[in-house]
């Protein structure tokens, strides 16, 4: 007797092929079959699934766009690569070759910059955590130390008694730029007079070389206006220093924080349509500085510590579909081999994910899960997605910022990172982890052997 077919609950879904959505956008999803002309198929075959891919071409193009936006509007501009955004050595070296200095926020990052061949006097040292040893090293190397709080200022004043060189310092200033919540936990506040007080103490001590003023007003700033406010306030401090002490600072450092084209969760429109361009940020900052009371014959150098906006577009994750299932309510779900452990930014971005080959035009509302045995492992909670099958490949776009530094080793081993150079050659710039590399630092007490 033949077995009775198992009952499956019928599901009714709307066919959306060829129909526009409520914003008038085509619901047919584009596909990404190649990155810098190298087929995704081949990259996965050669380097495994999943893999991180970085495009040097895109890094250089983005950097040169940003540079042009600022250098056409302001006389002297210097970029410093924000290490924490992506400190793969190969990535840092591309930026350094393009002329970027290094911007670091820890002793570890400071040493990494030195090992990447950056001269001490081209390193900007930020952050609230600098040990006395870090401060001595940075002083002797002639690096730019951006003071975060009074305790650090006192440390520097005592260090200056013993070092051969005078510490070269700036203060980090936080201020009301019209963006809330304010990032007032870093640096000295402008409105309550702390910043002015710190500057007075530095100059009256005569022990430190005050060379600059710094701010970093936030990250993923979706409008350029706060930068204009911040630049005006720093310019005003510089003018007051000149008047009271006849002291001219050499640079104004506007930090990072320009938005990348990723879409924030809950945003109504895609980030690529709403985020300001480099030109708009550059216009706001340079106008504020040029129109200030700063001496036009000795305009300070404009430093920029742009991270996210320079590297996000250059990064991709490629990988494979592991399975499809129906959830209890009939909703389609797809499990892929990228989890939140390697795509940290999926906690705040609606990452763009695309099929890597032609598919049927039928798309369905889908939840995309990562491979972790954990409820929070959701890459997209709701996206109209075509029906890929187990083993089919996908590409996640704009993942170059913060994922390769904020990722965590959890449940699975982290994959390879591959760089495609400007000639189209591929290079592994970080090997995939192995059981050996992961447990190399572990020790088992003798009695457990
Ligand atoms: C993180 C950071 C940056 C880079 O910020 P992005 O948002 O990636 O541009 C720059 N400066 C400082 C001090 C930072 O902490």
């Amino acid at each position: 007797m033949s077995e009775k077919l198992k009952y499956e609950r019928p599901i009714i879904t709307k066919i959306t092929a060829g129909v526009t959505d409520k914003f008038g956008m085509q619901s047919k999803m584009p596909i990404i079959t190649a990155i810098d002309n190298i087929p995704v198929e081949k990259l996965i075959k050669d380097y495994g699934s999943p893999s991180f891919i970085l495009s040097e071409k895109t890094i250089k193009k983005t950097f040169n766009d940003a540079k042009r936006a600022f250098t056409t509007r302001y006389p002297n501009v210097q970029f410093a690569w924000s290490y924490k955004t992506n400190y793969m050595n190969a990535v840092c070296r591309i930026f350094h070759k393009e002329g970027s200095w290094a911007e670091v926020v820890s002793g570890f990052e400071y040493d990494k910059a030195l090992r990447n061949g950056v001269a001490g006097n081209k390193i900007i040292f930020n952050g609230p955590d600098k040990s006395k040893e870090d401060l001595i090293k940075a002083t002797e190397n002639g690096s730019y130390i951006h003071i975060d709080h009074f305790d650090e200022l006192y440390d520097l004043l005592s260090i200056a008694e013993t070092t051969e060189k005078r510490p070269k310092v700036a203060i980090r200033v936080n201020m009301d730029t019209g963006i809330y919540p304010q990032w007032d936990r870093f640096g000295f506040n402008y409105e309550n007079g702390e910043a002015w007080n710190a500057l007075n103490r530095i100059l009256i001590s005569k022990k430190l070389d005050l060379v600059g003023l710094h701010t970093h007003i936030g990250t993923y700033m979706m409008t350029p206006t706060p930068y204009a406010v911040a630049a005006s306030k720093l310019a005003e401090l510089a003018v007051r220093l000149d008047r009271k002490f006849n002291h001219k600072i050499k640079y104004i450092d506007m930090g990072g924080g320009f938005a990348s084209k990723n879409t924030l969760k809950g945003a109504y429109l895609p980030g690529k349509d709403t985020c300001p361009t480099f030109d708009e940020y550059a216009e706001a900052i340079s106008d504020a500085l040029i129109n200030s009371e700063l001496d036009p014959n000795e305009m300070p150098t404009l430093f920029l510590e742009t991270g996210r906006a320079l590297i996000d577009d250059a990064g991709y994750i490629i990988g494979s579909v592991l399975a499809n299932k129906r959830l209890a309510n009939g909703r389609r779900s797809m499990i892929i081999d990228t989890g939140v452990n390697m795509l940290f930014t999926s906690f705040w971005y609606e990452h763009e994910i695309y099929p890597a080959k032609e598919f049927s035009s039928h798309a369905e509302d889908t939840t995309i899960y990562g491979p972790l045995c954990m409820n929070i492992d959701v890459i997209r909670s709701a996206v109209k997605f075509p029906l890929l099958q187990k083993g089919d490949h996908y590409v996640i776009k704009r993942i170059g910022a913060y994922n390769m530094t904020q990722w965590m080793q959890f449940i699975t081993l982290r994959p390879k990172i591959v760089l495609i150079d400007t000639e189209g050659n591929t290079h592994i710039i970080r090997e995939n982890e192995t059981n050996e590399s992961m447990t190399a630092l572990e020790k088992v007490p003798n009695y457990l052997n």
Side-chain angles (χ1 to χ4, degrees):
M1 205 174 82
S2 69
E3 222 184 298
K4 205 174 146 200
L5 279 176
K6 251 178 125 180
Y7 174 76
E8 246 191 70
R9 197 155 66 90
I11 289 153
I12 299 171
T13 57
K14 208 160 92 187
I15 301 285
T16 52
V19 179
T20 60
D21 67 12
K22 63 182 168 188
F23 305 114
M25 294 179 186
Q26 271 294 335
S27 60
K28 168 96 179 168
M29 180 172 263
I31 57 174
I32 299 182
T33 56
I35 299 170
D36 288 0
N37 296 323
I38 305 183
V40 172
E41 237 23 69
K42 178 168 166 48
L43 289 168
I44 287 185
K45 190 165 146 278
D46 293 350
Y47 300 108
S49 176
S51 290
F52 283 91
I53 310 291
L54 281 161
S55 158
E56 182 179 23
K57 204 165 106 188
T58 307
I59 296 178
K60 287 190 169 167
K61 184 186 176 303
T62 313
F63 181 72
N64 283 300
D65 284 351
K67 203 166 125 185
R68 192 179 332 103
F70 281 92
T71 52
T72 50
R73 292 176 169 90
Y74 193 81
N76 31 349
V77 178
Q78 178 62 55
F79 280 84
W81 175 238
S82 156
Y83 262 46
K84 75 172 187 295
T85 310
N86 187 322
Y87 45 56
M88 290 305 120
N89 288 334
V91 170
C92 297
R93 283 169 194 237
I94 292 172
F95 281 107
H96 298 323
K97 268 179 110 173
E98 293 293 300
S100 267
W101 294 9
E103 184 274 325
V104 302
V105 292
S106 69
F108 156 69
E109 289 188 359
Y110 185 90
D111 288 340
K112 216 169 195 292
L114 287 180
R115 284 162 181 241
N116 278 327
V118 184
N121 65 0
K122 292 185 173 172
I123 302 178
I124 294 170
F125 200 168
N126 282 319
D129 173 21
K130 308 180 193 85
S131 68
K132 268 204 157 149
E133 295 68 45
D134 291 337
L135 291 173
I136 291 168
K137 196 193 297 182
T139 299
E140 298 296 4
N141 286 334
S143 305
Y144 298 90
I145 303 168
H146 289 183
I147 307 172
D148 185 76
H149 45 258
F150 281 112
D151 286 312
E152 189 172 290
L153 174 54
Y154 305 142
D155 272 353
L156 275 167
L157 289 172
S158 77
I159 283 168
E161 308 275 352
T162 61
T163 48
E164 268 173 38
K165 292 198 181 154
R166 282 162 65 85
K168 284 196 287 185
V169 304
I171 62 162
R172 176 160 174 176
V173 181
N174 69 66
M175 74 255 306
D176 185 353
T177 59
I179 290 289
Y180 309 101
Q182 273 186 54
W183 275 28
D184 58 358
R185 56 171 285 188
F186 301 109
F188 301 89
N189 186 255
Y190 173 86
E191 283 80 17
N192 72 7
E194 244 194 13
W196 182 238
N197 180 235
L199 293 171
N200 277 279
R201 290 205 209 180
I202 289 169
L203 284 180
I204 282 170
S205 81
K206 297 197 161 64
K207 288 181 189 156
L208 311 175
D209 282 347
L210 177 68
V211 285
L213 292 169
H214 172 233
T215 190
H216 172 60
I217 57 176
T219 193
Y220 200 91
M221 306 295 294
M222 289 174 70
T223 133
T225 320
Y227 285 99
V229 177
S232 304
K233 288 182 175 175
L234 291 190
E236 198 254 2
L237 286 176
V239 169
R240 278 167 79 187
L241 287 171
D242 196 8
R243 282 202 197 120
K244 176 164 173 182
F245 295 95
N246 197 17
H247 179 88
K248 283 209 162 65
I249 51 136
K250 295 196 167 62
Y251 65 85
I252 284 184
D253 181 344
M254 292 302 299
F258 302 155
S260 75
K261 298 191 197 77
N262 262 308
T263 305
L264 285 181
K265 286 201 162 162
Y268 191 63
L269 288 168
K272 56 177 181 282
D273 297 335
T274 54
C275 290
T277 60
F278 287 125
D279 288 297
E280 291 171 283
Y281 290 118
E283 189 89 356
I285 292 171
S286 48
D287 274 356
L289 295 179
I290 288 168
N291 299 342
S292 72
E293 299 295 308
L294 286 167
D295 181 350
N297 298 312
E298 283 176 85
M299 289 297 275
T301 300
L302 169 59
F303 281 14
L304 293 157
E305 305 169 345
T306 315
R308 184 190 302 280
L310 290 181
I311 189 74
D312 229 6
D313 275 5
Y316 301 81
I317 291 176
I318 57 176
S320 315
V321 174
L322 300 177
N324 287 301
K325 352 171 145 175
R326 289 283 161 194
L327 301 177
N329 62 1
R331 185 186 179 77
R332 176 164 174 265
S333 75
M334 184 173 90
I335 308 171
I336 61 173
D337 55 1
T338 293
V340 293
N341 55 334
M342 52 182 272
L343 190 60
F344 203 82
T345 52
S346 55
F347 289 123
W348 53 87
Y349 287 150
E350 302 281 20
H351 275 294
E352 291 168 57
I353 171 165
Y354 299 100
K357 66 168 192 201
E358 272 304 335
F359 53 88
S360 86
S361 56
H362 175 66
E364 191 178 331
D365 223 357
T366 304
T367 300
I368 302 180
Y369 293 116
L372 306 180
C373 199
M374 237 189 117
N375 212 25
I376 59 159
D377 193 22
V378 182
I379 299 299
R380 288 296 300 269
S381 54
V383 58
K384 274 251 181 305
F385 207 76
L387 307 174
L388 299 196
Q389 301 302 320
K390 177 181 166 61
D392 284 349
H393 299 146
Y394 62 85
V395 177
I396 306 178
K397 252 178 103 164
R398 293 200 180 94
I399 57 85
Y402 293 103
N403 287 303
M404 290 161 225
T405 47
Q406 276 190 296
W407 56 2
M408 54 191 150
Q409 195 280 313
F410 182 58
I411 301 186
T412 59
L413 297 166
R414 286 170 285 198
K416 289 185 174 66
I417 303 178
V418 176
L419 176 75
I420 305 175
D421 69 21
T422 48
E423 317 271 275
N425 304 308
T426 52
H427 311 265
I428 296 173
I429 62 164
R430 192 179 191 270
E431 278 293 354
N432 56 293
E433 289 168 345
T434 60
N435 231 307
E436 288 67 43
S437 71
M438 264 328 298
T439 49
L441 300 176
E442 286 190 41
K443 289 189 194 313
V444 178
N446 268 340
Y447 77 96
L448 294 174
N449 273 326

